[in-house]
Amino acid sequence: MEHGTGLIQAVIFEAADRNNIGGSAYGGQRSICCTPDLAKLEGCKQGEVIRIPSATEINWPMVLSIQFNGNDLSTQMNNAEVPIKKTGMHNLFFIACDPKLKGTVMSGRTVWKNPDGYLPGRMAPLMTFYVYMAIAYLLLSAIWFSQYMRFWEDILQLQHCIAAVIGLGLFEMILWYLDYSNFNKTGMRPVVTTAWVVTVGAIKKTLSRLLILSVSMGYGVVRPTLGGLTSKVLLIGATYFVASELLDITEHVGTINDVSGRARLFLGLPDAFLDAFLILWIFTSLSKTLEQLQAKRISVKLDIYRKFSNALAVAVIASVAWITYEIYFKATDPFNERWQSAWIITAFWDILSFALLCVICYLWAPSQSSQRYAYSEDVGEEFDDEEAQSLTRGQSNGDVSLVKQEQKNG
């Protein structure tokens, strides 16, 4: 009853050395455990993991053994500290070669620490990235709110929405940095804290998409309200928020895992579908708004909306191209060996969202004539040359002349 039975082995290896685990007899199927045939060919010990020493480190891959005592139904592994001297994507597997141990349940905790802290290597660059993004949002908010306060009496509802998105974006970047910084220092990632960060991000993403949709419908510039479409816009916004929140919580809250599970794929489908639906709705609405402005011959607004539609088209093309690259990146890197550049996948979407927000801020910046400009239904309405020039904000003289000419014809 005192002898050791039921061997379980913990195997730690770098992804690049994965071929040093296991072997095959006579060119057949590769086996991790040593079989009678492999024991003769490889000289391994039957019932144990096949380990081939690395060419650069004889003690690597590392194998730790745990055994049950006699007929005991449970055993405990002693705390083990494993120093890793080589940069790379490292894996930990618990393997039982004994068929009698089929169905064994394991519970426990592993702690991984890099030289700079507890953050996984693929996440560490994002902490620095969020600092730069926070600075970018801070500069944008300083520019926007200076104009916002300067022309406070002429602010539109649309510009209130833009201010809210900028504020949420800055808040989100600061929260992400604090979450990552705490994780890096303590090795702990409180569920409640991360859930709050994810929620703020989901709110910001939802408002950003609704802002683009509202602008495409002409809200605040061509029409004072969305009218009967308000309930539909709010419904799609609430649905998108729920889908985005569930996906992000699955992605970020809880155990850090480098392997994408089925739950993430399943929850990603509604989010992708809603994004595609919103893009279709945005471009349909934008087309109608452009037709309306062209029919009324409102040249200044038409020019702004054309610039906005061009920026939106570039953003959609960039998104499709990046999604294609992301699929290729993940499909060609099953063992996460390109972990050092994996952070760019996440960072791209924050950069694209910020760039599009900057375009909207430029095109619809607060000015002294915002109110008259927004709700003038016809080019025949009077507004002086100074107002027309402030609305075009640096457009060519030819555009201003065209507006003047249309006023005279009106």
Side-chain angles (χ1 to χ4, degrees):
M1 297 293 292
E2 297 297 327
H3 63 281
T5 60
L7 177 66
I8 294 178
Q9 292 176 294
V11 184
I12 306 169
F13 62 97
E14 192 200 350
D17 294 330
R18 57 186 175 274
N19 291 329
N20 289 57
I21 300 295
S24 61
Y26 310 110
Q29 185 176 358
R30 191 173 183 82
S31 174
I32 293 177
C33 295
C34 187
T35 62
D37 289 337
L38 285 169
K40 297 176 183 178
L41 294 172
E42 302 284 349
C44 57
K45 189 174 181 180
Q46 188 174 340
E48 295 186 2
V49 172
I50 301 172
R51 170 190 172 276
I52 303 171
S54 172
T56 56
E57 180 61 48
I58 193 170
N59 295 323
W60 203 258
M62 184 169 289
V63 178
L64 305 175
S65 297
I66 311 102
Q67 286 186 310
F68 290 84
N69 290 323
N71 293 327
D72 288 351
L73 297 179
S74 65
T75 188
Q76 184 173 349
M77 179 184 180
N78 295 326
N79 289 338
E81 183 173 312
V82 180
I84 296 175
K85 302 177 182 178
K86 183 180 179 183
T87 298
M89 175 61 73
H90 292 82
N91 300 272
L92 169 63
F93 281 74
F94 286 89
I95 303 170
C97 293
D98 189 345
K100 294 178 183 178
L101 294 179
K102 185 177 181 181
T104 300
V105 177
M106 186 198 74
S107 63
R109 180 167 178 258
T110 62
V111 179
W112 300 76
K113 186 176 183 181
N114 288 311
D116 296 326
Y118 288 97
L119 268 179
R122 63 182 175 84
M123 296 172 64
L126 285 171
M127 188 168 70
T128 304
F129 169 75
Y130 288 133
V131 172
Y132 286 113
M133 285 303 300
I135 294 173
Y137 270 102
L138 189 62
L139 291 174
L140 179 62
S141 62
I143 296 170
W144 177 266
F145 283 104
S146 65
Q147 293 293 102
Y148 190 81
M149 297 305 297
R150 182 182 175 189
F151 302 106
W152 173 255
E153 295 180 354
D154 296 309
I155 294 297
L156 308 173
Q157 287 296 326
L158 173 65
Q159 291 162 339
H160 288 311
C161 296
I162 295 172
V165 172
I166 295 173
L168 277 172
L170 175 60
F171 190 42
E172 181 194 11
M173 294 300 109
I174 293 173
L175 286 180
W176 275 123
Y177 170 75
L178 294 176
D179 181 48
Y180 275 43
S181 179
N182 177 70
F183 185 14
N184 194 49
K185 290 177 182 177
T186 65
M188 304 292 291
R189 202 178 189 192
V191 172
V192 176
T193 304
T194 309
W196 271 109
V197 179
V198 166
T199 301
V200 171
I203 293 172
K204 181 247 181 180
K205 283 198 295 185
T206 302
L207 287 183
S208 298
R209 281 154 178 77
L210 294 186
L211 173 64
I212 294 172
L213 178 61
S214 300
V215 168
S216 301
M217 290 177 173
Y219 172 66
V221 177
V222 177
R223 54 200 297 181
T225 66
L226 294 178
L229 293 172
T230 303
S231 58
K232 294 180 180 179
V233 171
L234 293 177
L235 178 62
I236 190 67
T239 307
Y240 185 86
F241 169 75
V242 172
S244 180
E245 176 81 349
L246 290 175
L247 177 62
D248 289 344
I249 283 179
T250 305
E251 181 75 23
H252 297 285
V253 178
T255 305
I256 300 298
N257 193 344
D258 292 311
V259 182
S260 297
R262 293 182 180 179
R264 297 182 189 181
L265 178 63
F266 177 76
L267 292 172
L269 291 176
D271 193 70
F273 172 78
L274 288 170
D275 263 329
F277 178 78
L278 278 169
I279 289 172
L280 181 62
W281 195 0
I282 286 169
F283 276 99
T284 303
S285 303
L286 195 55
S287 177
K288 291 179 181 178
T289 302
L290 286 169
E291 288 177 3
Q292 181 183 354
L293 291 172
Q294 196 164 12
K296 292 183 177 182
R297 300 172 64 195
I298 309 178
S299 302
V300 178
K301 294 181 184 179
L302 182 62
D303 182 61
I304 290 177
Y305 266 85
R306 279 176 176 165
K307 290 178 179 177
F308 175 65
S309 62
N310 290 338
L312 206 57
V314 171
V316 170
I317 293 171
S319 298
V320 172
W322 192 255
I323 290 172
T324 304
Y325 171 74
E326 186 174 343
I327 293 172
Y328 166 80
F329 184 91
K330 292 181 178 179
T332 57
D333 188 32
F335 298 100
N336 295 303
E337 292 178 273
R338 295 202 294 268
W339 56 272
Q340 289 174 306
S341 56
W343 68 276
I344 301 174
I345 299 294
T346 301
F348 172 82
W349 300 109
D350 287 316
I351 294 172
L352 183 65
S353 176
F354 178 76
L356 201 54
L357 181 59
C358 287
V359 171
I360 293 175
C361 289
Y362 171 74
L363 294 176
W364 284 279
S367 66
Q368 61 184 2
S369 52
S370 293
Q371 290 286 349
R372 294 181 65 184
Y373 166 61
Y375 302 125
S376 59
E377 293 293 337
D378 197 300
V379 293
E381 283 198 22
E382 296 179 359
F383 55 92
D384 57 29
D385 295 345
E386 183 180 349
E387 288 175 335
Q389 290 174 3
S390 69
L391 292 175
T392 54
R393 285 187 305 279
Q395 294 180 14
S396 64
N397 293 332
D399 290 339
V400 178
S401 300
L402 180 59
V403 175
K404 293 178 182 177
Q405 184 65 35
E406 287 178 355
Q407 288 177 341
K408 293 176 182 178
N409 293 339

